[in-house]
Amino acid sequence: MPFRRSLRTDQSLTPLYSSSAHIWVLELVPARDPFSVAGLYDYGPPGSSLQSNIIAEWRKHFIVEEHMLEVDTTIMTPAPVFETSGHVARFADWMVKDLKTGEVLRADHLVKNVLEARLAGDKEARGLADAPPKEDDKKKKKKDKAKPTAVKLSDEQVKEYETILAQLDNYSGPELGELCRKYNIRNPDTDNEVSEPQQFNLMFASSIGPTGQHPGFLRPETAQGHFLNFSRLLEFNNGRIPFASAQIGRSFRNEISPRAGLLRVREFTMAEIEHFVDPEDKRHERFSEVRDVELDLLDRHTQAAGSTKLTRMRIGDAVDKGIVANETLGYFLARIHQFLIKIGINPARLRFRQHMENEMAHYATDCWDAEIQNSYGWTECVGCADRAAYDLSVHSAKTGHPLVVRQALKEPIVTEKLVAEFNKKTFGKTFGKDSAVIQTIINGMDEALLSKLQGELLQGSTTVTSSDGREFKLTPDHLTIEKKTFKQSIREFTPNVIEPSFGLGRILYALLEHSFWSREQDVERGVLSLPAVVAPTKVLIVPLSAKPEFDPLVRDVSAKLRKAGVFSRVDDSNTSIGKRYARNDELGTPYGLTLDFASTQKGTMTLRERDTTGQLIGQIDEVIATVIELVNGTIDWAEACKRLPAYDGVQAVE
């Protein structure tokens, strides 16, 4: 297909070397045309279904369970929106150029890849790591990582490199350039020196209208659409907070060097939540439900010390100790963890890393990334930040429209304060055009200065001085200062925002790596152990014969599954039943139903489970009811084995 790369989700699978094990992932194959551009991918039918199922589960887990308000805002966004939000000035990465070829590389990735390769080479030289397998010449292609070379480093060098890698996200552009010079970091593909880092804005610029008079950008995130519609969302929620809005949609980033498959692309699907909360009360009413959830945390202080050691901790304890800023942020970290585990992410390869001071936005209170380990290392897949009131404040200041909450107080707040009252007749007559200057001076005084002024007036007169040094003498004929009582029944404030942001393509890719394995008895037989909730096809229907008498049974079973909302597929190809099951194991289909000659005579059908290859047998309707419950998650395979007898592979038929 022109202008794209294809994500092949059929039987095209290739191993990626990682440590001493093979990790299998769905192969990413460039389109066979001259217009292919890096960072753009198409999903085939199984890939599209997998992404749709992840989105459907995300919607249930967050939007439905948390009563969120779902929105769908525009992708094309007028430039003033991103000028106001700061994206035009600051949404950038640091890049370097190969001084001879002009190839552009992302600076932090270059440092990371080169230093990791040197550490891997050190382990190989010390005999601590297996040598990587020889690469098939037919499959050689440009890599995102530097190739390890077996060179032993000193213990001091190893520690120094590990410290740099632990703190890498905290380095500025000039500091990355200093690292390249100090450690002789070059382009690993050419061994050429690289330039000093320069900032590159990641947004795609465009124009709106036939004359191009309205500049715009393809959105790099969905968040700004939430903030621009805050007043309408607040009204829809009857003027009450806390509440959350959610959006699933496409975003675009003009990545510097997108070489890591689906982990770094230029067009991708995001799922974002903006949870609006009272800045004076960031408790969460459901925090007690997740207080005991345990997470593997990598806090900023550990990173600053040059370590990547994880601390396993209950989220309740992390909030109580101030490691996580508040209950609402902690609540979402736990819910993110629960979602990722539910869809099949390996919990042993999931961590939550806190942003270091230099990488966190200046307005943010706290920020954590859910990082998932894969063959490319640890990859940020979900960000969860306390953005304070920055976004609503800047848009309100720019537009003049107050993006605030007006909250009726249960009990009015009664306060007393000194107030200056001017005698308009004598004040204006005495000071004329300077009246406004004097009023500004006095109205800007705090309680202490007004009290002092009050005492001086009681003594007969006082003097105030303007910014240009002019003095004005005031008497009680000009103004009086008295204490007055004020009753406040409405509190007005700008909400803070807690923002969980999901990169669904990255999650999908990591899920594929975590789910794929090969059977011990046959390494060529791959299995994609996707949970049924996200598997593209839930049930495979396999008729043993192509004879006409099987057709009504296949139609009946398929119709009953379809009516129950279970997506199934019929494989009536001429290959053996073993091969049919094997190729659908690679596609992640969790259950298989086999219709054989006993089905036509006795009305029985077998049920096969993907991972164990165990089979059960029963009457067709009984098996259908069981597999529907398995797919819906109301029973597990152990319970199914109690309901249906095991199939021994033999049935008596006439």
Side-chain angles (χ1 to χ4, degrees):
M1 190 174 184
F3 308 104
R4 293 288 191 272
R5 289 172 179 253
S6 298
L7 172 57
R8 292 176 55 184
T9 49
D10 48 17
Q11 288 74 48
S12 301
L13 301 149
T14 181
L16 290 179
Y17 182 77
S18 177
S19 299
S20 58
H22 285 86
I23 295 178
W24 295 79
V25 295
L26 294 183
E27 186 177 19
L28 306 176
V29 182
R32 295 179 180 276
D33 61 66
F35 306 110
S36 176
V37 176
L40 301 174
Y41 289 93
D42 293 331
Y43 289 5
S48 296
S49 294
L50 176 58
Q51 178 175 258
S52 295
N53 292 341
I54 292 173
I55 290 173
E57 190 56 36
W58 189 92
R59 185 174 272 114
K60 290 178 187 175
H61 188 84
F62 289 105
I63 295 178
V64 175
E65 290 189 31
E66 306 290 347
H67 301 287
M68 294 179 176
L69 309 179
E70 187 169 8
V71 296
D72 185 5
T73 63
T74 62
I75 290 172
M76 178 61 73
T77 308
V81 172
F82 291 121
E83 290 168 358
T84 303
S85 68
H87 283 75
V88 171
R90 294 189 296 270
F91 196 75
D93 281 336
W94 292 97
M95 69 176 186
V96 294
K97 286 186 179 181
D98 185 308
L99 292 178
K100 292 185 178 179
T101 67
E103 181 184 1
V104 175
L105 304 163
R106 184 165 152 176
D108 57 337
H109 289 180
L110 173 64
V111 172
K112 176 177 180 286
N113 293 336
V114 171
L115 295 188
E116 284 183 344
R118 291 178 185 176
L119 290 173
D122 173 72
K123 286 186 176 181
E124 188 177 337
R126 294 172 186 247
L128 300 178
D130 296 332
K134 292 183 179 179
E135 190 175 21
D136 187 344
D137 288 338
K138 294 180 180 179
K139 293 184 178 181
K140 281 185 179 178
K141 59 181 180 180
K142 197 172 191 178
K143 299 292 184 183
D144 187 42
K145 296 186 177 182
K147 183 179 179 182
T149 303
V151 176
K152 186 177 179 180
L153 304 173
S154 68
D155 292 342
E156 292 76 14
Q157 283 179 303
V158 170
K159 178 63 177 175
E160 198 170 355
Y161 287 175
E162 289 176 344
T163 300
I164 291 170
L165 291 172
Q167 301 176 351
L168 189 59
D169 291 311
N170 205 35
Y171 287 109
S172 65
E175 289 171 336
L176 290 170
E178 177 61 28
L179 289 176
C180 289
R181 291 191 299 273
K182 182 176 179 180
Y183 297 102
N184 192 29
I185 294 174
R186 299 165 174 253
N187 183 349
D189 293 329
T190 63
D191 197 36
N192 296 331
E193 292 183 359
V194 296
S195 67
E196 285 298 306
Q198 295 179 323
Q199 278 197 317
F200 173 73
N201 193 287
L202 299 178
M203 290 195 297
F204 282 100
S206 186
S207 60
I208 303 169
T211 62
Q213 72 270 35
H214 301 296
F217 294 96
L218 298 180
R219 66 184 183 193
E221 61 181 23
T222 70
Q224 299 307 313
H226 299 251
F227 304 134
L228 295 177
N229 287 284
F230 171 74
S231 294
R232 295 183 180 92
L233 291 167
L234 180 65
E235 181 182 4
F236 189 85
N237 202 52
N238 298 320
R240 297 173 184 157
I241 67 164
F243 75 88
S245 58
Q247 180 168 194
I248 303 163
R250 288 285 188 172
S251 296
F252 304 81
R253 297 182 185 179
N254 195 12
E255 293 289 349
I256 294 171
S257 52
R259 296 181 178 181
L262 296 181
L263 298 182
R264 191 159 297 279
V265 294
R266 289 179 166 132
E267 178 181 347
F268 50 95
T269 302
M270 298 185 76
E272 288 193 300
I273 297 165
E274 307 299 334
H275 183 93
F276 299 96
V277 64
D278 187 336
E280 295 181 3
D281 183 9
K282 293 186 180 180
R283 293 174 298 171
H284 196 286
E285 63 178 3
R286 295 181 61 189
F287 186 69
S288 60
E289 298 175 23
V290 303
R291 172 172 280 278
D292 293 329
V293 173
E294 292 188 342
L295 306 179
D296 288 322
L297 304 179
L298 178 58
D299 65 77
R300 64 167 67 99
H301 302 296
T302 301
Q303 297 171 72
S307 174
T308 56
K309 183 180 180 181
L310 302 179
T311 301
R312 189 159 186 81
M313 184 180 295
R314 296 188 313 159
I315 191 62
D317 294 337
V319 172
D320 292 343
K321 294 177 181 179
I323 298 171
V324 174
N326 55 70
E327 280 191 7
T328 299
L329 185 61
Y331 177 78
F332 278 109
L333 293 180
R335 292 287 288 158
I336 291 166
H337 179 271
Q338 291 173 335
F339 169 74
L340 294 174
I341 301 308
K342 184 188 298 185
I343 65 170
I345 294 300
N346 183 351
R349 302 172 68 187
L350 170 64
R351 73 182 186 187
F352 287 82
R353 186 186 69 81
Q354 188 176 31
H355 279 207
M356 301 181 74
E357 294 295 341
N358 195 49
E359 64 175 313
M360 191 164 64
H362 66 278
Y363 52 80
T365 302
D366 196 6
C367 185
W368 293 78
D369 289 340
E371 296 184 334
I372 303 176
Q373 189 182 39
N374 54 78
S375 57
Y376 290 93
W378 288 97
T379 301
E380 171 201 348
C381 293
V382 187
C384 193
D386 183 336
R387 298 173 65 100
Y390 172 78
D391 300 280
L392 294 179
S393 298
V394 295
H395 285 300
S396 180
K398 177 69 175 179
T399 62
H401 177 71
L403 299 175
V404 296
V405 174
R406 294 177 177 87
Q407 192 176 70
L409 298 173
K410 291 181 180 179
E411 294 184 8
I413 299 174
V414 178
T415 58
E416 289 185 338
K417 62 180 181 178
L418 293 172
V419 177
E421 289 192 354
F422 299 89
N423 185 328
K424 295 181 180 179
K425 185 177 180 181
T426 59
F427 187 79
K429 184 178 180 181
T430 302
F431 298 105
K433 62 181 181 179
D434 292 325
S435 298
V437 175
I438 299 170
Q439 285 181 319
T440 301
I441 295 170
I442 295 174
N443 289 336
M445 290 182 176
D446 59 19
E447 194 80 359
L449 288 174
L450 284 173
S451 180
K452 180 184 176 185
L453 203 67
Q454 182 187 39
E456 292 172 349
L457 285 170
L458 291 175
Q459 297 297 320
S461 67
T462 186
T463 302
V464 296
T465 305
S466 65
S467 58
D468 57 5
R470 290 182 296 157
E471 293 185 347
F472 302 95
K473 184 177 180 180
L474 301 170
T475 69
D477 290 335
H478 299 133
L479 82 159
T480 57
I481 297 175
E482 297 178 352
K483 184 163 286 189
K484 292 194 173 183
T485 301
F486 293 87
K487 186 177 180 182
Q488 180 185 357
S489 57
I490 299 293
R491 176 181 167 232
E492 185 175 284
F493 61 91
T494 302
N496 281 196
V497 177
I498 310 295
E499 180 193 70
S501 178
F502 296 71
L504 296 181
R506 292 183 174 188
I507 293 172
L508 183 150
Y509 179 86
L511 176 59
L512 294 178
E513 280 207 9
H514 288 202
S515 302
F516 213 92
W517 54 282
S518 57
R519 300 195 186 279
E520 289 185 9
Q521 63 272 25
D522 186 358
V523 295
E524 296 300 321
R525 287 184 62 185
V527 181
L528 194 61
S529 292
L530 295 171
V533 70
V534 294
T537 301
K538 315 298 186 186
V539 179
L540 179 71
I541 302 172
V542 183
L544 203 60
S545 170
K547 291 185 176 181
E549 55 262 37
F550 280 82
D551 293 344
L553 286 176
V554 172
R555 285 196 297 269
D556 183 57
V557 171
S558 182
K560 288 177 178 177
L561 291 174
R562 190 164 56 247
K563 187 176 180 180
V566 175
F567 185 80
S568 63
R569 194 170 73 88
V570 178
D571 188 342
D572 54 3
S573 59
N574 293 327
T575 56
S576 68
I577 188 171
K579 288 184 178 179
R580 281 186 270 179
Y581 273 131
R583 66 190 179 195
N584 281 279
D585 288 347
E586 289 186 336
L587 288 172
T589 307
Y591 304 108
L593 302 177
T594 303
L595 293 164
D596 55 20
F597 290 101
S599 304
T600 63
Q601 296 181 17
K602 299 182 178 182
T604 60
M605 181 167 63
T606 60
L607 167 62
R608 176 185 181 271
E609 197 272 336
R610 173 196 60 214
D611 295 349
T612 64
T613 69
Q615 295 190 65
L616 307 176
I617 190 169
Q619 292 298 306
I620 290 177
D621 285 343
E622 188 179 14
V623 173
I624 289 175
T626 300
V627 79
I628 289 171
E629 289 194 66
L630 285 167
V631 169
N632 291 336
T634 55
I635 65 170
D636 56 17
W637 183 247
E639 177 62 27
C641 291
K642 295 177 183 177
R643 293 189 183 185
L644 300 174
Y647 176 55
D648 59 9
V650 179
Q651 285 198 81
V653 294
E654 297 179 3

